[in-house]
Amino acid sequence: RSRVDLNFDVAHVKFMDAPVAGGTVTLARAKGTQVPLPPVISIGVNWQINPAWAVEFVYDFTHWSEFEHLKARFSPALPALGASFPIAGFLIPENWKDTNTLRLASSYRLDMSWTLRAGMVLDESPIPGSTLSPTIPGADTLTFNAGIGYQWKNWKIDLGYAAIFYKNRSVSNDVLEANGASTLTPGRDKY
């Protein structure tokens, strides 16, 4: 699958001057915000062991390293003191890494009506500890899936369940203080 860029040049934001400056509300537009949906290479194998039982393995390589930063600029300026204060934009480094995802699944047909299904997924997080923040949180995941299907004539009913387990992460970094993204909470943050 090829890369697709999500552009948010029409995002509307609202700012308010400090009460001592009049408390005026300014409606602005965010510009230059782009998030890439990266290219993905997938390889899959399905093996029909016998007429009732099948297994499948899928490997995905996702080129997340294309997501280098999250940025935005804002216009117009705040109206305080004759609109002479531009609204500060931000540039938050992301520096994501490429990831691997492994999927293993199986289905077993009990008879002409009933089919059982199960699977698991190991999915790496692309977010390194040096740039993990509340902006876009993430962690490695392990997912277990199970399901049952019933077929009667031309009708099919399927019921499935997925349990997703996130790996615990403990990270300390100053990514939100970088490049003037925030001056309210200087220093290292813990997540």
Side-chain angles (χ1 to χ4, degrees):
R1 184 180 73 205
S2 66
R3 173 183 168 144
V4 175
D5 290 325
L6 301 177
N7 295 303
F8 297 97
D9 279 344
V10 294
H12 296 277
V13 294
K14 181 168 64 170
F15 294 95
M16 183 183 302
D17 282 343
V20 295
T24 307
V25 172
T26 300
L27 299 177
R29 220 180 209 176
K31 298 183 183 248
T33 304
Q34 181 185 71
V35 177
L37 295 180
V40 179
I41 298 172
S42 294
I43 299 169
V45 176
N46 184 291
W47 178 28
Q48 191 70 43
I49 297 171
N50 60 43
W53 187 21
V55 294
E56 182 172 289
F57 173 77
V58 176
Y59 167 77
D60 292 337
F61 172 81
T62 307
H63 193 50
W64 275 116
S65 59
E66 293 187 4
F67 189 29
E68 297 174 358
H69 55 264
L70 183 62
K71 67 177 180 176
R73 299 181 315 274
F74 302 101
S75 65
L78 292 173
L81 300 177
S84 60
F85 289 103
I87 301 170
F90 62 81
L91 176 69
I92 300 172
E94 299 295 342
N95 299 323
W96 286 15
K97 61 180 182 155
D98 297 335
T99 62
N100 301 290
T101 301
L102 304 174
R103 305 173 199 277
L104 181 62
S106 182
S107 66
Y108 187 79
R109 190 171 196 138
L110 296 172
D111 56 31
M112 295 304 290
S113 298
W114 293 96
T115 303
L116 299 176
R117 297 178 185 90
M120 66 178 288
V121 179
L122 290 169
D123 193 10
E124 285 183 307
S125 171
I127 308 169
S130 61
T131 63
L132 178 71
S133 75
T135 309
I136 306 174
D140 295 346
T141 61
L142 173 63
T143 304
F144 293 103
N145 307 287
I148 187 167
Y150 178 77
Q151 181 173 349
W152 178 70
K153 295 184 181 180
N154 290 333
W155 292 86
K156 277 187 171 182
I157 297 174
D158 289 293
L159 179 64
Y161 178 78
I164 303 173
F165 301 94
Y166 288 84
K167 181 179 179 181
N168 288 331
R169 294 181 83 175
S170 179
V171 174
S172 178
N173 64 40
D174 61 358
V175 69
L176 290 183
E177 280 65 58
N179 298 310
S182 173
T183 58
L184 299 176
T185 57
R188 297 182 69 76
D189 300 314
K190 293 182 182 181
Y191 307 109

